[in-house]
Each structure stands twice: as C-alpha cells, then as structure tokens.
C-alpha cells in the first residue's frame, strides 16, 4: 500500500523505548515473520485470499516491500534509480531466511538516527518517512491475515495493530479497489468485531 497518513512517529526525546510507530512496525514484522516460518514445505504453492497469488507469491511481495525500504529511506533514491532491482523471485531456496534478511534490512533503515524525519520519493510523490512506515505496517498486518488463512494457522491479529491499520487505511479505503490490488468491500456481518470489519473493508471474507 502506498498512501499517506498523519500518524506521528512519536516523541523520541530522552526515552529508551522506541517511538510508537517503530514499535508497531517491529510488531507487525514479527507477526508476519512468525507466519512465514510456519509455512510447511508443501504449502508454498497453496492459494491465498489474494487473487492469483500463491503463498510464495504473497511472501515474495512482502520481501520485495522490505527490500525497497533501505534505498528509499536510507539512500533517498528515486523510484527510477531502483528500477526493477526487486522484481521477480526473491525467495530462493530458503524463503524464511530471505524474509528474515529483508525484514532486518527494513527495520535497520527505519530505526537509523533521523530516519523518520526524512522524506521518501514514492511513485505518487514525496512522502514523509513516517507515512511510508505506517503504510508498511498496515500492509504487513493485512497480509499476515492472508497468510494465516492460506496455511491454516491462528488468524487473530493483535488489537493494537488492527486499530492502527483501520486508522491508517480509513482516509483512502475508497481508492483501494480502484488500484486493482484489492477486491470490492464486503458487507460485514451484524455485530462484527474490529478485525472482521477491517478485513471486510479490504474485500476479505473472514
């Protein structure tokens, strides 16, 4: 997902704790990573809730997104400079290890001193690094559910990440279907909880 958000990075002054945004990012990465490591050898070709994506395709997409972070945040690259560097298969013979390497590189880029104060050059224009990080969190959260459903593990998402993602997506939810990357919203059942409402908004059928 590549949109904007007004979610702040949080106060970093005199605190040993990471800013709230970075804490959410680490939590979302760890959550998705847990699911990647739970994929059995016979599940990489399985279907996912994402149309036309197998489990391998889905994980490859998230690996690509992580690998984009260092050049955009650390190196201030333009999209054109990166080009097709992260196209194609990035998982190799050990998908879980490839995820771990990519996730670590993204986390290091976002946690570097001053990283969240920078501007990144995305396909639709210059964007605060905080907004870019928030987008990455939302994408990780939603795709964690996709991967969980695909491989048959626990689909419950942490309440804090569901709340964060719903708030992040709300300003541009109406445009997601137009992007071609999301199905049309689904009417949530009566009394739906926050996670179900979020997934239905994004065209999922929990």
């Amino acid at each position: 997902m590549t949109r904007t958000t007004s979610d702040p990075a949080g106060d970093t002054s005199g605190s040993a704790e990471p800013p709230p945004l970075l804490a959410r990012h680490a939590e979302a990465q760890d959550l998705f990573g847990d699911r990647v490591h739970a994929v059995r050898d016979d599940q990489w070709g399985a279907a996912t809730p994402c149309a036309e994506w197998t489990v391998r395709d889905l994980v490859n997409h998230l690996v690509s997104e992580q690998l984009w972070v260092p050049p955009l945040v650390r190196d201030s690259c333009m999209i054109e400079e990166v080009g097709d560097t992260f196209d194609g298969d990035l998982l190799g013979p050990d998908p879980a290890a490839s995820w771990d390497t990519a996730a670590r590189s993204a986390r290091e880029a976002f946690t570097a001193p001053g990283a969240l104060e920078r501007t990144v050059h995305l396909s639709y224009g210059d964007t605060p690094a905080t907004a870019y990080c928030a987008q990455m969190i939302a994408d990780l959260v939603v795709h964690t559910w996709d991967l969980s459903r695909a491989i048959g593990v626990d689909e419950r998402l942490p309440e804090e990440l569901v709340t964060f993602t719903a708030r992040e997506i709300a300003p541009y939810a109406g445009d997601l279907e137009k992007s071609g990357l999301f199905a049309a919203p689904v009417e949530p059942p009566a009394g739906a909880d926050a996670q179900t409402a979020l997934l239905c908004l994004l065209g999922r059928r929990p």
Side-chain angles (χ1 to χ4, degrees):
M1 282 181 255
T2 51
R3 300 289 175 183
T4 60
T5 181
S6 58
D7 198 354
D11 183 12
T12 63
S13 58
S15 174
E17 295 296 322
L21 188 65
L22 293 180
R24 291 285 83 79
H25 178 255
E27 185 181 4
Q29 275 197 333
D30 290 345
L31 189 68
F32 188 80
D34 286 345
R35 301 305 192 272
V36 173
H37 282 271
V39 179
R40 300 193 312 265
D41 289 344
D42 63 346
Q43 291 181 315
W44 289 103
T48 73
C50 303
E52 301 181 5
W53 275 3
T54 64
V55 166
R56 188 178 181 92
D57 294 331
L58 175 60
V59 175
N60 192 70
H61 168 70
L62 269 297
V63 166
S64 176
E65 288 207 333
Q66 308 314 301
L67 292 175
W68 271 94
V69 177
L72 293 178
V73 175
R74 182 192 64 206
D75 304 330
S76 299
C77 287
M78 304 296 289
I79 293 289
E80 295 77 14
E81 294 179 83
V82 181
D84 60 1
T85 302
F86 304 124
D87 289 354
D89 180 72
L90 301 167
L91 301 187
D94 191 341
S98 297
W99 160 259
D100 290 342
T101 298
R104 184 167 54 250
S105 71
R107 193 176 304 195
E108 289 174 351
F110 275 130
T111 58
L116 293 182
E117 300 169 12
R118 298 172 187 164
T119 296
V120 294
H121 310 294
L122 302 182
S123 58
Y124 60 87
D126 290 353
T127 303
T130 51
Y132 179 41
C133 187
Q135 295 157 21
M136 295 287 286
I137 294 167
D139 214 37
L140 284 161
V141 171
V142 174
H143 287 316
T144 292
W145 182 85
D146 292 330
L147 185 54
S148 300
R149 169 63 61 94
I151 65 174
V153 299
D154 185 10
E155 298 176 6
R156 292 303 308 173
L157 302 169
E159 182 179 349
E160 296 84 357
L161 287 178
V162 170
T163 300
F164 180 98
T165 301
R167 186 173 66 245
E168 160 64 17
I169 289 173
Y172 52 82
D175 295 329
L176 292 176
E177 182 185 358
K178 299 175 186 175
S179 72
L181 299 175
F182 292 86
V186 175
E187 184 68 26
D193 61 14
Q195 176 174 316
T196 299
L198 172 65
L199 294 169
C200 289
L201 178 65
L202 296 173
R204 272 68 175 172
R205 296 181 181 275

